Amino acid sequence: MSVKATSHALFFVSEQHQSNYEQLQSRFKSFWSSEYAAGAYIAALPEVFYRIKWDDEDSPLSWYFGEWVVIKGDNGEEDGFHNESEIVTGLSSSYKLLVRAGVELFTGRLHKFDLQHFLGNADDKLYRVFLQLLEIRRKSSILNLAGETDPEDGEEF
């Protein structure tokens, strides 16, 4: 399934994925950027979207972050990190990795995304979602992931 967006079509796994994406786009429109678009695209996946209490969220991927874990350094100073939320731990391996990729593209920091593991586990549908995620984040349309023809001119878009 695809929808035409500006100069290219976005690949969606279902109509519900598209509808969820449009809801998130509307919800976060004042912050919308390629980072937010990529985050919303992943969060809109039905397997993810319906696990989230959206009233409590201030970004498309804020639900990813769980409890803050404090670590004391050798010099006694405190540092720490966020565990993954229960939402993430409840996802299948492929979805978990896909979410981590989305979080890395959203935050610009490493969040345990393992490309080799993902490629070995993702089915064709999730692989296309991953490629679309990269296209959205890059603001690029060099790939036709929708694989559909524009009915107006008969050419692929």
Side-chain angles (χ1 to χ4, degrees):
M1 157 162 228
S2 69
V3 64
K4 194 157 185 166
T6 61
S7 63
H8 69 285
L10 296 180
F11 169 74
F12 291 97
V13 298
S14 65
E15 288 180 13
Q16 197 58 56
H17 183 201
Q18 179 182 343
S19 174
N20 296 345
Y21 179 78
E22 290 167 355
Q23 287 179 51
L24 293 176
Q25 186 176 27
S26 177
R27 178 182 175 95
F28 298 111
K29 65 184 170 197
S30 62
F31 303 104
W32 205 249
S33 64
S34 64
E35 291 89 350
Y36 270 74
Y41 181 75
I42 290 301
L45 288 162
E47 291 80 356
V48 176
F49 187 86
Y50 296 108
R51 296 171 185 256
I52 301 164
K53 295 178 184 170
W54 285 106
D55 291 340
D56 301 335
E57 304 305 327
D58 59 2
S59 83
L61 291 172
S62 57
W63 53 268
Y64 170 84
F65 301 97
E67 183 179 310
W68 180 257
V69 177
V70 176
I71 300 173
K72 289 201 178 207
D74 293 338
N75 58 4
E77 290 186 29
E78 288 188 1
D79 196 2
F81 63 93
H82 282 280
N83 275 331
E84 292 180 329
S85 71
E86 289 182 19
I87 295 168
V88 180
T89 58
L91 296 170
S92 71
S93 169
S94 294
Y95 277 93
K96 200 177 294 185
L97 288 166
L98 193 56
V99 165
R100 289 174 183 159
V103 173
E104 286 191 15
L105 293 172
F106 185 77
T107 64
R109 295 194 172 98
L110 298 177
H111 291 279
K112 305 179 201 171
F113 175 65
D114 180 343
L115 179 61
Q116 186 172 351
H117 188 208
F118 176 76
L119 293 175
N121 287 298
D123 61 13
D124 289 347
K125 176 180 72 172
L126 289 185
Y127 179 69
R128 287 174 75 179
V129 167
F130 175 72
L131 292 176
Q132 184 66 73
L133 172 66
L134 295 176
E135 293 272 293
I136 291 169
R137 180 59 183 84
R138 286 185 70 226
K139 298 185 235 177
S140 171
S141 60
I142 63 169
L143 300 175
N144 179 5
L145 297 165
E148 295 182 8
T149 302
D150 188 341
E152 293 181 10
D153 59 17
E155 293 181 19
E156 287 192 352
F157 54 90

